[in-house]
């Protein structure tokens, strides 16, 4: 198993990333859920029953910001998560989610509402 720490400039550890163990004897468990022992879809389903989840990067990353967890899958599509990050509070506050589309808030003219004038 590989563990990597992420820190800030002051050397304070803000997050720890754990990679999938090569042996099946090593288990990484969150609230009874085997993070690397179960298929990613099953892990995601169980986490969603307990936590708010954000699915980003076309589904390759699942973040549970309230629990300070992020799970990642590689593009190899093994069906399992390849890593989990456990972070300090606030670490996921600025998740790069796609912006919501903006629509103009211009109300239609009265004649448009009656269908008497083309909208375009």
């Amino acid at each position: 198993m590989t563990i990597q720490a992420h820190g800030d400039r002051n050397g304070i550890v803000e997050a720890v990333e754990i990679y999938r163990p090569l042996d099946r004897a090593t288990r990484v468990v969150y609230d009874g859920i085997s993070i690397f022992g179960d298929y990613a879809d099953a892990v995601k389903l169980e986490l969603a029953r307990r936590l708010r989840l954000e699915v980003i990067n076309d589904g390759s990353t699942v973040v549970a910001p309230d629990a300070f967890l992020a799970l990642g899958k590689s593009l190899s599509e093994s069906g399992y998560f390849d890593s989990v990050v456990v972070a300090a509070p606030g670490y996921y506050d600025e998740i790069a989610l796609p912006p919501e589309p903006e629509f103009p808030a211009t109300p239609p003219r009265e004649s448009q509402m009656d269908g008497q004038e083309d909208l375009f």
Side-chain angles (χ1 to χ4, degrees):
M1 171 173 27
T2 303
I3 299 175
Q4 179 178 358
H6 303 271
D8 66 7
R9 289 182 217 164
N10 298 321
I12 297 172
V13 174
E14 295 179 325
V16 175
E17 187 167 10
I18 303 168
Y19 295 91
R20 171 182 284 291
L22 297 176
D23 63 76
R24 289 218 164 260
T26 303
R27 295 185 60 210
V28 176
V29 178
Y30 174 81
D31 197 19
I33 304 167
S34 179
I35 300 298
F36 300 124
D38 295 330
Y39 284 106
D41 288 341
V43 172
K44 187 168 61 173
L45 179 66
E46 286 301 315
L47 286 173
R49 290 180 179 164
R50 297 170 171 95
L51 304 165
R52 176 178 61 95
L53 299 181
E54 303 281 348
V55 179
I56 56 177
N57 298 333
D58 295 326
S60 65
T61 303
V62 175
V63 179
D66 302 326
F68 316 112
L69 295 173
L71 299 101
K73 295 190 290 188
S74 68
L75 298 177
S76 67
E77 292 301 321
S78 68
Y80 295 89
F81 284 112
D82 295 312
S83 66
V84 61
V85 176
V86 181
Y91 190 79
Y92 298 113
D93 286 351
E94 297 181 21
I95 297 173
L97 296 176
E100 291 188 28
E102 293 183 26
F103 296 99
T106 307
R109 292 188 306 274
E110 193 170 315
S111 61
Q112 289 176 326
M113 292 172 58
D114 293 327
Q116 297 175 1
E117 186 177 310
D118 291 338
L119 294 174
F120 302 103

